[in-house]
Amino acid sequence: TQLLEQSPQFLSIQEGENLTVYCNSSSVFSSLQWYRQEPGEGPVLLVTVVTGGEVKKLKRLTFQFGDARKDSSLHITAAQPGDTGLYLCAGVVYRDHNAGNMLTFGGGTRLMVKP
Amino acid sequence: KAGVTQTPRYLIKTRGQQVTLSCSPISGHRSVSWYQQTPGQGLQFLFEYFSETQRNKGNFPGRFSGRQFSNSRSEMNVSTLELGDSALYLCASSRTSYEQYFGPGTRLTVT
């Protein structure tokens, strides 16, 4: 069983602060995805990182995949109230075409950004 | 392009009853996955259907079942409901089960 641990579980910060969320595993993943979920909605895919050491930026959000493809981080610069939500990482294990891909989700980080 | 739709959005059932939830995937998506989300356990994989066949299954009891129709629409059924089945049930569709597009979920409350 592949497990993904996210930390911290909860984070409450003031608008304008920076933060980092971590996603760690002892298993290697083919790729790693980050989702954001708002109350009453399903998770929305933010980014997929595929290559070890890869860094992707999405406006004020920076995503990094660990060199060994076992961990990832999400860094938000100058957080805004609109960033509030549940952030989920998901490790993807690629199998063959017939078996499809398996996603394992982390427990999530609930972020609140206060104005 | 219309997103993933799930019906109903909210449901209240009594212990021992059964329930059927419905999911309509994005047009062209043949993979439909179901997840259970609870505060304590997070997002847990139930099963995935691809071209009307169950391709993957999570670690849930046999009371949880599903099916997929020829138009890719999917249903999941939970029989003999227990209090612990109260959760948000999410459906996600994908072309390849790689990048998943989630619906808004069905909030099931078992009393």
Side-chain angles (χ1 to χ4, degrees):
Chain A
T1 304
Q2 296 171 304
L3 298 174
L4 272 172
E5 292 189 4
Q6 278 187 246
S7 62
Q9 289 185 318
F10 302 95
L11 196 52
S12 179
I13 61 173
Q14 293 294 137
E15 182 177 1
E17 293 184 4
N18 302 332
L19 68 114
T20 302
V21 176
Y22 299 93
C23 179
N24 295 297
S25 175
S26 58
S27 304
V28 176
F29 292 101
S30 307
S31 61
L32 198 132
Q33 301 174 346
W34 284 92
Y35 293 79
R36 184 171 76 195
Q37 183 178 19
E38 298 186 25
E41 300 295 330
V44 174
L45 179 65
L46 295 174
V47 77
T48 300
V49 284
V50 179
T51 307
E54 182 177 3
V55 176
K56 279 192 174 179
K57 291 192 175 184
L58 186 66
K59 296 183 181 178
R60 295 175 292 99
L61 278 60
T62 302
F63 304 86
Q64 184 164 7
F65 201 13
D67 291 340
R69 305 208 316 278
K70 293 182 179 182
D71 54 84
S72 181
S73 64
L74 157 60
H75 182 79
I76 301 179
T77 303
Q80 298 178 0
D83 296 326
T84 293
L86 178 67
Y87 289 82
L88 296 157
C89 64
V92 183
V93 175
Y94 171 75
R95 302 179 305 167
D96 59 41
H97 173 75
N98 291 326
N101 298 291
M102 288 295 294
L103 272 67
T104 301
F105 281 85
T109 294
R110 194 165 296 280
L111 171 66
M112 177 176 289
V113 182
K114 295 176 282 189
Chain B
K1 199 180 215 182
V4 177
T5 57
Q6 291 187 245
T7 56
R9 292 292 309 274
Y10 303 93
L11 205 50
I12 300 175
K13 289 286 188 179
T14 304
R15 272 182 302 175
Q17 288 185 317
Q18 73 165 18
V19 66
T20 299
L21 312 181
S22 181
C23 171
S24 292
I26 292 172
S27 178
H29 286 190
R30 295 162 63 189
S31 167
V32 174
S33 297
W34 288 89
Y35 295 85
Q36 181 194 65
Q37 187 175 33
T38 60
Q41 298 297 320
L43 203 61
Q44 293 188 289
F45 173 74
L46 280 156
F47 31 65
E48 181 213 0
Y49 285 86
F50 185 86
S51 294
E52 302 180 64
T53 301
Q54 186 180 87
R55 185 160 69 172
N56 291 296
K57 189 176 188 307
N59 190 26
F60 276 81
R63 300 185 296 107
F64 293 81
S65 63
R67 59 177 175 168
Q68 187 179 34
F69 302 96
S70 58
N71 61 359
S72 293
R73 191 176 69 84
S74 178
E75 289 181 346
M76 70 162 279
N77 183 277
V78 187
S79 62
T80 318
L81 284 166
E82 301 177 359
L83 294 177
D85 297 333
S86 294
L88 181 67
Y89 289 88
L90 291 160
C91 162
S93 77
S94 172
R95 288 188 188 278
T96 61
S97 73
Y98 183 59
E99 294 182 345
Q100 307 215 341
Y101 296 84
F102 285 85
T106 294
R107 172 75 60 187
L108 171 65
T109 301
V110 182
T111 61

